[in-house]
């Protein structure tokens, strides 16, 4: 699948994240009503890193998604292609070994990692199937993948309310707190254009991953997809 239905090219996505980097964590907390913290704990338990395992946190941004993995004792490599996000991350979390890299062509050798994960990043990658194949390439045989991404609420009436939130409330709130409110209109559009749980499971499998499992969080607002090399 491609991002053809969305309006931003890869360099525009990187520039967009450069622009929101300074207030990124605060805006996230507010827009998700602090649910993002629960979602990050769920990612940690899905990755279930053992001490000293090597874990790639792709599209790590400022490193917020990497911290739980680091605290669990995994050797975690945060990788992102937005220089702005990396700069803020390096300033706020100087001990994290940030690596600049594009999901479409990862700067790592084959079978480098025990586990790979991507939180709220895959939706932005120009071709998610290529990104998932790259993640497979850098994972050792038997290693695992955890994708955390926005998805579709499973209860129809709630889904309607949530769609309203995406179209109206989210851009309005972001307009007040974010350094680049327009990017949150893109966020709402990109969430709506993204496949549902079953659709993403098919994409993960098509990229070569096995045994795909899905877990809904917050009624399906977010879904975790877990799979094995
Ligand atoms: C919404 S942020 C998520 C950051 C972090 N994972 C978190 O959970 O807070 C999405 C990140 O994906 C990064 N990204 C998007 N496309 C990418 C690509 N092709 N390669 C590397 N990073 C990418 C953006 O630069 C941005 O930092």
């Amino acid at each position: 699948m491609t991002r053809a239905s969305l309006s931003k090219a890869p360099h525009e996505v990187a520039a967009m994240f450069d622009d929101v980097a300074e207030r990124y964590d605060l805006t996230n907390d507010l827009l998700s009503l602090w649910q993002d913290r629960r979602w990050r704990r769920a990612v940690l338990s899905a990755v279930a890193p053992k001490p000293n395992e090597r874990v790639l946190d792709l599209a790590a941004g400022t490193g917020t998604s990497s911290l739980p993995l680091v605290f669990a004792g995994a050797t975690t490599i945060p990788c992102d292609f937005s220089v702005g996000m990396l700069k803020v991350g390096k300033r706020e979390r100087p001990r994290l070994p940030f690596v600049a890299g594009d999901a479409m062509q990862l700067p790592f050798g084959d079978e480098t990692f025990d586990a790979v994960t991507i939180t709220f990043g895959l939706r932005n990658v120009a071709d998610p199937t290529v990104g998932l194949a790259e993640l497979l390439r850098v994972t050792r045989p038997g290693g695992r993948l955890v994708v955390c991404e926005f998805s579709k609420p499973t209860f129809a009436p709630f889904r309607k309310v949530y769609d309203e939130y995406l179209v109206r409330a989210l851009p309005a709130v972001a307009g007040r707190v974010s350094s680049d409110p327009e990017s949150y209109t893109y966020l709402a559009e990109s969430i709506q254009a993204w496949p549902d749980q079953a659709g993403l499971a098919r994409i993960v499998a098509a990229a070569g991953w096995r045994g795909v499992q899905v877990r809904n969080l917050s009624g399906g607002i977010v879904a975790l997809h877990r799979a094995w090399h």
Side-chain angles (χ1 to χ4, degrees):
M1 87 163 262
T2 67
R3 295 174 53 261
S5 56
L6 292 177
S7 48
K8 287 194 193 294
H11 70 278
E12 292 173 313
V13 172
M16 175 182 79
F17 281 104
D18 290 347
D19 289 346
V20 299
E22 283 297 340
R23 306 193 76 178
Y24 172 78
D25 287 327
L26 169 72
T27 313
N28 254 1
D29 277 347
L30 273 176
L31 292 179
S32 73
L33 306 173
W34 284 266
Q35 292 298 299
D36 55 332
R37 294 166 186 229
R38 275 187 51 217
W39 300 335
R40 294 184 193 291
R41 284 199 293 277
V43 171
L44 177 63
S45 72
V47 176
K50 298 183 193 77
N52 299 322
E53 273 193 328
R54 281 179 67 81
V55 179
L56 170 63
D57 182 24
L58 181 57
T62 58
T64 314
S65 48
S66 310
L67 284 180
L69 301 161
V70 172
F71 294 147
T75 302
T76 307
I77 311 297
C79 174
D80 202 282
F81 78 166
S82 156
V83 174
M85 294 291 262
L86 291 170
K87 266 190 189 157
V88 173
K90 201 70 204 157
R91 189 187 70 212
E92 302 294 322
R93 293 145 185 165
R95 287 168 168 234
L96 293 189
F98 287 95
V99 171
D102 187 343
M104 298 287 288
Q105 203 175 3
L106 288 173
F108 306 106
D110 297 353
E111 303 179 8
T112 301
F113 297 98
D114 299 293
V116 292
T117 182
I118 178 164
T119 296
F120 303 126
L122 191 61
R123 203 184 59 256
N124 301 297
V125 174
D127 187 334
T129 307
V130 172
L132 287 162
E134 269 296 86
L135 283 168
L136 186 70
R137 179 183 68 75
V138 302
T139 305
R140 68 160 168 81
R144 57 229 185 258
L145 163 78
V146 174
V147 177
C148 174
E149 193 48 89
F150 289 106
S151 199
K152 309 284 181 208
T154 49
F155 182 55
F158 176 52
R159 189 160 165 173
K160 235 178 149 189
V161 173
Y162 177 65
D163 278 343
E164 282 291 304
Y165 166 78
L166 281 182
V167 173
R168 299 187 202 289
L170 186 144
V173 176
R176 287 170 182 263
V177 287
S178 171
S179 39
D180 180 18
E182 250 182 47
S183 64
Y184 287 86
T185 304
Y186 167 82
L187 170 71
E189 284 171 2
S190 70
I191 291 173
Q192 288 185 310
W194 186 245
D196 65 8
Q197 290 81 341
L200 181 56
R202 282 193 293 275
I203 293 168
V204 171
W209 290 92
R210 297 162 193 244
V212 185
Q213 297 175 346
V214 182
R215 179 181 167 202
N216 285 313
L217 303 174
S218 303
I221 288 180
V222 167
L224 298 186
H225 285 68
R226 188 153 64 135
W228 282 263
H229 189 306

